[in-house]
Amino acid sequence: MRTNYIFKLLEKGERIDGRKLDEFREIKVLPNAIERAEGSSRVIMGKTDVIVGIKLEIGVPFPDMPNMGTLKTGAEFSPIAHKDFEPGPPSEDATELARVVDRGIRESDCIELEKLCITEKEKAWDVYVDVHIINHDGNLIDASSLAAVSALLNARIPKLEDKTVIRTEFTGKLPVVKKPITVTIGKIMNNFLVDPTKDEEDIFDSRLSVATIEDGKICAMQKGNKTGLKESDVEEMIKLSTKKAKELRKLL
Amino acid sequence: MRTNYIFKLLEKGERIDGRKLDEFREIKVLPNAIERAEGSSRVIMGKTDVIVGIKLEIGVPFPDMPNMGTLKTGAEFSPIAHKDFEPGPPSEDATELARVVDRGIRESDCIELEKLCITEKEKAWDVYVDVHIINHDGNLIDASSLAAVSALLNARIPKLEDKTVIRTEFTGKLPVVKKPITVTIGKIMNNFLVDPTKDEEDIFDSRLSVATIEDGKICAMQKGNKTGLKESDVEEMIKLSTKKAKELRKLL
Amino acid sequence: MRTNYIFKLLEKGERIDGRKLDEFREIKVLPNAIERAEGSSRVIMGKTDVIVGIKLEIGVPFPDMPNMGTLKTGAEFSPIAHKDFEPGPPSEDATELARVVDRGIRESDCIELEKLCITEKEKAWDVYVDVHIINHDGNLIDASSLAAVSALLNARIPKLEDKTVIRTEFTGKLPVVKKPITVTIGKIMNNFLVDPTKDEEDIFDSRLSVATIEDGKICAMQKGNKTGLKESDVEEMIKLSTKKAKELRKLL
Amino acid sequence: MGKKSDIVLIENGKRLDGRKPLEIRDTEMKVGVIPNANGSSYVRFGKTIAIAAVYGPKLLYPKHLQESDRGIIQCRYNMAPFSVDERVRPGTSRRGTEISKVIKLAFEPVLFLENYPKTGIDIYVEIIQADGSTRVTSVNAASLALANAGIPMRDLVVGLSGGKISDTIILDLDGKEDNNSEADVPVAFMPNKKEITLLQMDGQLTNEELKDIIKNVMKNGEIVYKKQIETLKKRYDE
Amino acid sequence: MGKKSDIVLIENGKRLDGRKPLEIRDTEMKVGVIPNANGSSYVRFGKTIAIAAVYGPKLLYPKHLQESDRGIIQCRYNMAPFSVDERVRPGTSRRGTEISKVIKLAFEPVLFLENYPKTGIDIYVEIIQADGSTRVTSVNAASLALANAGIPMRDLVVGLSGGKISDTIILDLDGKEDNNSEADVPVAFMPNKKEITLLQMDGQLTNEELKDIIKNVMKNGEIVYKKQIETLKKRYDE
Amino acid sequence: MGKKSDIVLIENGKRLDGRKPLEIRDTEMKVGVIPNANGSSYVRFGKTIAIAAVYGPKLLYPKHLQESDRGIIQCRYNMAPFSVDERVRPGTSRRGTEISKVIKLAFEPVLFLENYPKTGIDIYVEIIQADGSTRVTSVNAASLALANAGIPMRDLVVGLSGGKISDTIILDLDGKEDNNSEADVPVAFMPNKKEITLLQMDGQLTNEELKDIIKNVMKNGEIVYKKQIETLKKRYDE
């Protein structure tokens, strides 16, 4: 019934919560939510609530990138966040979320990973970006991506003494030079929706998540859901996403 | 029916196997049950039958304890021991058992771990205490804890040549300086029971496991089962446990 | 019904596909099937289709064999190959297959593992033999064993620069000096069958896989299926297997 | 263990963070923080933060887990990867499994499980930041989340840790105290019924010291209890 | 990432393997290669080889996975241990899980799933050799395997990757190009309906460049489509 | 492998532990050692100790494992962590999986499984100390446990290993012989029906040598058989 009601409203270009099609819910970005993490941020988008924490650990560089640190992104759909989330190994959706958040950061060259090398071939910082969902009411990709960049922006590099990480002192900020912003556009019956709630997501025909950087370039994309998209749809969705990304970027 | 019968007897202060409330079943402690382990002991308490084996392996000390060996305790509820035990990863109960046995040993400073360092920061002995249940008829915590200490007491340190462990020659005994003894007290309808059988355990209101050392100090505790305990209950249970621990210690 | 038909034919010494009891299906051995692997081969036996790929990775020698490389054999029953194969960790049958293939190679001293040491105690080549089933129509053991030896015969050792493996240049062939051949004999109602199809396998009373080397010596055996074998059965099955192995060896 | 290190944890009657021995850290409690959950809460003791959610009672699946005459509690305690100094690898740990079990047992006595045959009540606790006393903080969070879910309870459950440093009894151990105290005693109890539902101990204590710690925990736990009540009332008043 | 390395991937309008920018590698397609499967295929683009099998539609177990009004697609993309330079450890990877999901979604729009309530259609793809563009090669293999299984489809699905190197748009990236290009855009689409069913992007592109790449992929995808049709016809003629 | 090392395993007709080539180690057998089990046993050959338990026949769950016309055997062979020199990590290993399977098969021919439709008979064997020949020791333990459980059997099953060192055929290999012999042949057979139900081989042997080993195993297996019978009788007499 709720679904039918959403459909009916959409026919009139309206949304169930009174928003315009291209309007975000109220968004709060709360940096430094977790004092003990190297960086953190909590993003609340309507009822969707996510925390991202950044941890730095000493790792070994990849053999083909011997003088760079590495980025490792994870996402946990904690069972506190939704009745359908179950404890256990990451679901397909959690895995996709982690990979989409990761790609936005990685492909934008957001972090200067070459500055995270400690000893060539031997030691470099692993940057762990962990997404933790607190309440799921749709649009996890955008909320998590925003929280991730916000958390990276306030992340600091702990002091290193010998082989020991001293986490109460810091040698500087994490070198973050780009702010990729991901905005997901949902398509329902030829309407293009921004920042969908869970109810809206469940009836999407299709969705397209687009990450853009400051210069307007696109750095990552991911199509989701079940129907095909015309070339013209894609173009329109990218245009809308790029436009709305500017709004979100102001929140950082 | 059996349960009802147990309850009826308890009303009269009697137990189904004729024991007094604070009486242990017949206990056999059989040290050196497994010749090829560095240390071992089998403890038979009535029909409950457990073997603990000690293995020493070369490991890396924890960064915050660079000159100490480490203690690693595991417990396997082998499916041979009870129809409800299933092959697979350790159950919640097996995990609890391992952690309770571990805590008794660890918190009593039973093993002088600082004598197990081989090279500071780099190499130290890992002491593996593995509990293997052969037949489960109740009171696994006490039987396993007793077997663990008995096994540690006869454990020897193998010879080390270069990086190779020579397990046919030994450089001395494992430095064991305390004998923590765990005695679990069960509460059923205001009766306090020592050394419960499985049938009795199943109807416990509550249980409290208390580990004590020679000087009478308590070094670990764990409450179990489903009802609350008054402060006075706790006091009485600790008193009884401490008293009975002396009996068990004589068996070592 | 099909089963009954197979039984009826066997009573007359005939097989459902017209073969003689001791006749192989048409066999194709296609070496170098996977260009990018260090060695590979595809074996098609009737409708059974398997690929074996060889990869060489740098590993650490076993402490008790400090100057030898190691052999690591795996088998995956890919779900593409049969409706009963499911994604997930290796089944009991896949594990058995890997171990039987491994044993034929290992026990025949097929690979001169002592030539694969790079630095004593520290570095040596791990030879990975991975069996991948493409279509399962019986006799996986013989097909996989044959493909494994064929793949090893065309395997090359990549160049090593510093710690990096250069997989576009090679320092020579993998030192393979023996060609173990495994032939499985199935017993159904006192008939001994060579190269069974899946339908035949399903009604085997018993099977015996025998690996032999060039000088006629037996280097591995594995009995399977559900009934016992008389000593005289074993003798006859070994004789038949040894004889048929010579035919297969010619295909290498 | 006996004295675990030479770190001085108390000087002139003041603990490292300035607290008096029996003083509880700055505490924050909220309920209803997770709209999707039937009940939820946020509880902070100093830098230790737990978020709890309750889902249920609901029919249990798979069926073989059901009990025909009562509901069961399922509990998961979990630490977020970024909650402590060294990143926690996601997945179950033995420590987490044990804590989940003792938290579950802490609530068995207060729920009317006999009223919910065949169902399960799920209690999930996430430690999003850890600085000691995480399991008792989880107990407080779970207590509030259950009440917030409107699940009838015989009593609330209060969690508080006690311990001993340099012959002094302390309460509400922070991370440093947790690691270096002479003993650590997490306790949960029903404040009205005065019954202890969770009790563990690590370290070395005489019988008298232990008695003393439990007494102090239960006395000062009143403060935590009042805070729980206040938090729930405030919610109703909203 | 922006320019990923200094490797020159194109010189005088020719790519490292001699191809022109929009040229597709030597391609081989077969169907019916796995007798046990309901449908199967072998697809090679250069050195990238995918084998796909389709089993089903068949009643789904365990039951809780069934949907009462439609069938579901289950997809597993897997790389053989020997398919790449460094041996792939068997088992699920996060990359494999994601690719399995996007391939599954690429076929949702073309199957008449509403005709198969309570059933599952399994699509399994094995990459037995990898040299770039494995996910789109998998799409082509799955498309042929589904057709070979006789499962009605609204359209075939064509997979092709586009990308950009040194300001040049290229198609069908090989492994080296995949790793070092400025952008990589895997696309799957229905050639008759002109609808995109898989679209991902890595790298950095302007809006215009991206549009251009998609246009070129869809235009040159016609070649791949014809090859699919040819392969299926040849099979019928056999 | 051919000669695996230069260790001299036999000198002047005596093996390292003083045994003659065809001599079986000191052997100990008991039944009924696990009160909870339907049947159980303790079997020691030298320093190799196996404890076996049988549970069942009992209805099998989950249901999809049931066979409508017969019972099935489920077997798990497991080594205790402390059973060998280097600690065994708990959990399944490929070696354990294979041995579990061959032990299971060794008993298929002797049980009347057709009498127990839909049920499972569980055979669990724990190696609590290992010094060679663990799988055949497990077979003896399982045979006694099944008999002790009162499950009707067509015959007992006897396990014994044979092998070859320095051109000499030996029986009942200990750990050192297992690792360094020229060949190792574990055998299980039905002593009355004279049928072999488990047969494996590692090493290198001529056809004649192999025949000889099997013959000797089956002849000297009589000793093991008698010991089994004796153990069971003694139990009845108790």
Side-chain angles (χ1 to χ4, degrees), chain E residues 171-217:
Chain E
L171 294 179
D172 184 23
L173 286 65
D174 67 22
K176 218 167 207 168
E177 291 170 339
D178 219 345
N179 289 330
N180 299 289
S181 66
E182 290 157 46
D184 165 22
V185 188
V187 181
F189 65 99
M190 299 187 255
N192 292 304
K193 299 193 159 260
K194 305 276 179 232
E195 281 183 22
I196 295 168
T197 65
L198 179 159
L199 177 60
Q200 295 182 284
M201 196 271 259
D202 279 5
Q204 293 187 12
L205 291 175
T206 65
N207 203 324
E208 281 311 305
E209 287 167 340
L210 181 59
K211 240 161 58 177
D212 224 24
I213 287 174
I214 295 175
K215 216 169 286 294
N216 272 292
V217 163

Side-chain angles (χ1 to χ4, degrees), chain E residues 28-35 40-42 144 148 227-238:
Chain E
E28 193 182 349
M29 298 186 187
K30 282 183 264 183
V31 289
V33 299
I34 299 175
S40 62
S41 69
Y42 169 102
L144 287 172
N148 180 236
K227 188 102 193 179
Q228 282 194 24
I229 292 287
E230 210 173 90
T231 307
L232 291 166
K233 274 204 179 137
K234 210 176 121 192
R235 177 71 177 183
Y236 280 114
D237 297 346
E238 270 172 16

Side-chain angles (χ1 to χ4, degrees), chain D residues 66-209:
Chain D
Q66 294 179 2
E67 305 239 355
S68 59
D69 58 343
R70 54 200 295 276
I72 68 163
I73 302 173
Q74 298 189 110
C75 179
R76 188 185 86 142
Y77 163 99
N78 185 56
M79 297 183 79
F82 44 74
S83 60
V84 280
D85 277 355
E86 224 179 295
R87 178 176 184 265
V88 182
R89 285 184 54 177
T92 54
S93 69
R94 304 209 303 178
R95 177 178 173 275
T97 302
E98 188 205 347
I99 297 183
S100 300
K101 182 177 174 180
V102 296
I103 295 176
K104 179 177 71 188
L105 291 180
F107 288 93
E108 293 260 359
V110 301
L111 299 184
F112 297 85
L113 294 168
E114 59 280 14
N115 294 348
Y116 312 105
K118 298 187 184 175
T119 71
I121 294 174
D122 294 334
I123 303 176
Y124 300 117
V125 187
E126 293 287 328
I127 299 296
I128 62 168
Q129 184 163 270
D131 186 27
S133 299
T134 61
R135 80 189 68 191
V136 288
T137 306
S138 300
V139 165
N140 291 315
S143 176
L144 286 173
L146 284 163
N148 180 237
I151 295 175
M153 295 163 83
R154 294 188 173 84
D155 203 345
L156 290 171
V157 180
V158 162
L160 185 59
S161 64
K164 183 190 157 202
I165 44 176
S166 319
D167 286 320
T168 311
I169 285 171
I170 56 168
L171 295 180
D172 185 23
L173 286 66
D174 68 21
K176 217 165 208 169
E177 291 170 340
D178 218 345
N179 289 330
N180 299 288
S181 65
E182 289 156 46
D184 166 23
V185 187
V187 181
F189 66 99
M190 298 188 256
N192 292 303
K193 298 193 158 260
K194 306 274 181 233
E195 281 184 24
I196 295 167
T197 65
L198 179 159
L199 177 60
Q200 295 184 284
M201 197 272 258
D202 278 6
Q204 293 188 11
L205 291 175
T206 64
N207 203 325
E208 281 311 303
E209 288 166 341

